[in-house]
Amino acid sequence: MNNVLVKITGLDHLGRGIGRVEGKIIFVKNAYINEEVTVKITKEKKKFLEGEIVDFEYKSPFRIDSKCNILNCGCALKHVPYEKQLEFKEEKIKNIIKRYTNLEKVVKKIIPSDDIYNYRNKVTLKVKEKLAYSENDSHNLICIDRCELLDEKINKIIKEINKMDLNNVSEVMIRSFDETMVCFKGNIDIKELNGVSSIYIDDKLVLGQEKIKANLGNFNFLVSDKAFFQVNTKMAFKLYKKVEDIITKDKTKTLLDLYCGTGTIGIFLSKHFKKVIGIEISEKAVMDAKENTKNNNIENCKFYVGNLDNGLKEKADIIVVDPPRKGLSQKTIKDILDVEPEEIIYVSCDPMTLARDINLFKDGYTVEEIIPLDLFPHTYHVESITKLKRKN
Ligand SMILES: C[S@@+](CC[C@H](N)C(=O)[O-])C[C@H]1O[C@@H](n2cnc3c(N)ncnc32)[C@H](O)[C@@H]1O
C-alpha cells in the first residue's frame, strides 16, 4: 500500500494515534490527537492497519520535542506534555473500567509522579557491541549511552560498561537505590566498577554484598538481584503511603499481604495490625522480606514462599493483593472470596486485568474507589489502588 494521509482522532490504550483509512482503523506510533500525518503502512491485517509517520501535514500545538531520539522504546508518550500524559492515563483507566464494569465514577484524579525524568531505579539491557534496548515489536537492538528515564547513577554505569569488551555478554541488569548492583549474563573479566557495591556474573556474586539497600521513609529494604522492587522509588513510597491512608486500620485484625515481594507493603502497614502474613513465589524475595522485618525491628510480620495459583490456606480480616500484570487467577479470586475478608486493597499495574478481576468480586464486594498513580511517566502504563468493601 502507498503512503496514506491520516487524521488522528484519539489515542489507543498503548498511546498510539488512531485514525481511519478506507474505513479501516489504523494505529500510528508517536502521533497525537488532531494531527494530520502522512503514514507508511508497516502492518496490514484484516481488521486494522499499523503505520509510521513519514511527514506531518498538521502538527499538534501540544506536541513537545522529546529529550531523546530513541524510537520504538517503551516511551510511547514522550512527545506528549506531562499534563496531557496524566489526562491520557486517567481517561485510559476510566475507559477500561467502564468497558468491563459501570464503575468509572469511582476513579479518582491521578496522582502525578514526583519526577518525570531520571525516576527509574532499574534497567535490563541486551548487548549489540554496546548496551542496547530491544525495539518494540521486533528483535532489533538499539545501542544506547543513556536513557532519560534512568537514574543518572545508572547512566554513568552504562557509559562505563560501554567501554568494556562485551563480546561474551548477552544481558546486563543495573539497579540503583542508595547502593548500586550490576548483574551480567555471560562472561566478563571484571574486578570492580566505580560506584557499584554488588556485581553478579551469571547469578554468582563476584564482588561486594549480596543485596542492596533502598530507603523508603523510615524503613530500609534490602533487595536481592532476583527480587521484584517498584522501579520508581519515590512513587513506591507514595503508593504505599496511599495504601496506608485508605486501608481500614485495626490493631485487633490480621492482614494478608499477597504477592508481597520483599515485604514492603506488609512492613509499611504492620503497625496498624495485630499480625501480617505475606506470601510470595520468589524465594529470594521472601528471604529479603524476612531480613527486612528484622532490620526494621518489626515483630508481627511473617513471610513465606508460596505459589498463590496453587491455593491460599491463610485466613485474614483484610487482604492486600499486588499481583503481576496478568492479575489474579480465577482460583485465587475464588480462594479470596472463600476467606471473606471485610476489605480488599488491590494494587494493580494493568487496568485491563484489574477491571476483569474486580468484575468477578462484584457480587460480594463494593468498589469504593480506584486511585490511579503515575509511576511510569512517558510510557502508557498506569498503576492504581482499588478499595473493595464486603457487602455484608
Ligand atoms: C507487582 S510485584 C509486587 C511486589 C510487592 N508487593 C512490592 O510492592 O514490591 C508482584 C509479585 O508477585 C510475585 N508473584 C508472581 N506470581 C506469583 C504467584 N503465582 N504466587 C505468589 N507470588 C507471585 C512476583 O514474584 C512479585 O514479587
Side-chain angles (χ1 to χ4, degrees):
M1 201 185 237
N2 290 333
N3 289 351
V4 284
L5 185 66
V6 181
K7 162 107 182 161
I8 303 298
T9 53
L11 298 182
D12 76 343
H13 69 285
L14 303 177
R16 298 175 301 183
I18 307 173
R20 290 215 164 250
V21 175
E22 294 167 9
K24 230 184 204 182
I25 195 158
I26 180 163
F27 301 106
V28 186
K29 282 180 213 157
N30 305 313
Y32 195 56
I33 303 163
N34 290 332
E35 289 187 330
E36 283 175 36
V37 282
T38 306
V39 172
K40 182 176 121 195
I41 307 292
T42 52
K43 196 183 265 182
E44 252 187 287
K45 294 275 181 190
K46 241 187 190 167
K47 292 198 171 145
F48 68 91
L49 305 166
E50 285 179 8
E52 278 173 11
I53 300 177
V54 182
D55 208 353
F56 288 91
E57 292 299 316
Y58 173 71
K59 244 188 202 183
S60 167
F62 292 118
R63 173 178 282 276
I64 54 165
D65 286 334
S66 163
K67 266 190 165 192
C68 96
N69 299 320
I70 303 172
L71 282 177
N72 295 335
C73 62
C75 289
L77 299 174
K78 64 182 164 200
H79 56 291
V80 178
Y82 191 56
E83 319 81 71
K84 298 277 173 200
Q85 291 187 21
L86 293 172
E87 273 173 30
F88 162 80
K89 292 188 188 196
E90 210 175 287
E91 273 312 297
K92 165 176 164 161
I93 198 161
K94 278 185 182 155
N95 288 337
I96 293 171
I97 295 291
K98 189 173 172 184
R99 205 179 313 149
Y100 282 85
T101 68
N102 56 356
L103 295 168
E104 74 277 8
K105 289 203 180 69
V106 302
V107 178
K108 303 277 190 241
K109 219 174 159 37
I110 189 164
I111 300 175
S113 182
D114 287 347
D115 298 322
I116 64 165
Y117 293 108
N118 307 114
Y119 64 82
R120 273 193 74 103
N121 60 37
K122 185 183 171 196
V123 68
T124 303
L125 295 165
K126 299 280 181 204
V127 177
K128 182 190 165 194
E129 292 141 39
K130 293 206 306 184
L131 294 178
Y133 267 117
S134 298
E135 199 177 39
N136 278 350
D137 310 327
S138 81
H139 298 294
N140 292 344
L141 295 176
I142 314 158
C143 290
I144 59 156
D145 276 316
R146 60 178 283 109
C147 158
E148 300 303 330
L149 301 196
L150 296 174
D151 183 326
E152 285 301 353
K153 281 186 280 175
I154 298 183
N155 280 328
K156 270 196 193 137
I157 291 164
I158 291 177
K159 277 208 176 109
E160 284 304 305
I161 295 178
N162 275 342
K163 290 181 199 152
M164 299 173 183
D165 175 2
L166 298 175
N167 271 330
N168 298 315
V169 175
S170 60
E171 196 176 281
V172 180
M173 186 276 271
I174 311 170
R175 184 180 243 173
S176 185
F177 310 118
D178 309 315
E179 297 167 330
T180 303
M181 170 184 280
V182 180
C183 303
F184 294 90
K185 253 193 205 160
N187 227 326
I188 185 159
D189 183 21
I190 191 164
K191 300 281 177 295
E192 63 171 342
L193 246 174
N194 223 346
V196 172
S197 39
S198 168
I199 300 181
Y200 282 81
I201 299 178
D202 276 346
D203 300 335
K204 266 204 207 97
L205 183 68
V206 296
L207 180 115
Q209 64 222 43
E210 231 179 287
K211 306 174 188 203
I212 54 169
K213 202 192 287 171
N215 279 321
L216 291 186
N218 294 327
F219 298 108
N220 293 316
F221 293 96
L222 286 172
V223 185
S224 290
D225 55 327
K226 295 281 188 234
F228 173 91
F229 203 87
Q230 288 289 354
V231 295
N232 183 336
T233 318
K234 280 192 195 166
M235 288 308 287
F237 180 69
K238 277 212 169 150
L239 172 74
Y240 302 146
K241 282 305 265 182
K242 200 71 202 166
V243 172
E244 188 179 13
D245 279 355
I246 66 167
I247 201 166
T248 304
K249 299 170 257 304
D250 187 333
K251 283 203 170 147
T252 65
K253 303 223 157 135
T254 297
L255 174 78
L256 257 184
D257 176 8
L258 302 184
Y259 308 87
C260 66
T262 57
T264 42
I265 296 181
I267 289 173
F268 248 77
L269 300 178
S270 57
K271 65 171 183 275
H272 304 297
F273 292 92
K274 183 174 166 208
K275 197 162 110 188
V276 176
I277 303 165
I279 304 173
E280 158 65 46
I281 202 167
S282 156
E283 276 182 37
K284 277 207 168 178
V286 171
M287 273 159 55
D288 294 350
K290 287 181 177 167
E291 208 172 334
N292 290 333
T293 19
K294 241 194 245 155
N295 292 346
N296 289 291
N297 301 317
I298 287 163
E299 288 175 348
N300 63 342
C301 291
K302 194 178 95 182
F303 293 100
Y304 67 85
V305 180
N307 180 348
L308 287 157
D309 294 341
N310 295 340
L312 171 65
K313 295 193 182 70
E314 300 291 344
K315 300 277 166 253
D317 304 291
I318 295 182
I319 298 186
V320 177
V321 297
D322 183 7
R325 262 183 215 148
K326 67 176 183 185
L328 302 173
S329 66
Q330 293 215 4
K331 163 136 187 64
T332 305
I333 292 180
K334 185 182 172 305
D335 289 344
I336 292 173
L337 287 170
D338 287 346
V339 173
E340 297 184 339
E342 51 204 63
E343 191 168 294
I344 302 166
I345 304 286
Y346 191 141
V347 179
S348 158
C349 53
D350 186 339
M352 289 280 194
T353 54
L354 170 77
R356 178 200 69 197
D357 293 349
I358 57 177
N359 209 23
L360 297 173
F361 282 114
K362 74 169 186 277
D363 289 345
Y365 288 81
T366 307
V367 176
E368 289 198 339
E369 55 184 330
I370 300 175
I371 305 166
L373 300 97
D374 190 17
L375 269 62
F376 318 103
H378 308 294
T379 75
Y380 57 75
H381 294 291
V382 56
E383 189 84 11
S384 61
I385 308 169
T386 299
K387 180 172 178 176
L388 299 115
K389 206 80 188 158
R390 200 176 63 209
K391 282 185 177 160
N392 48 48

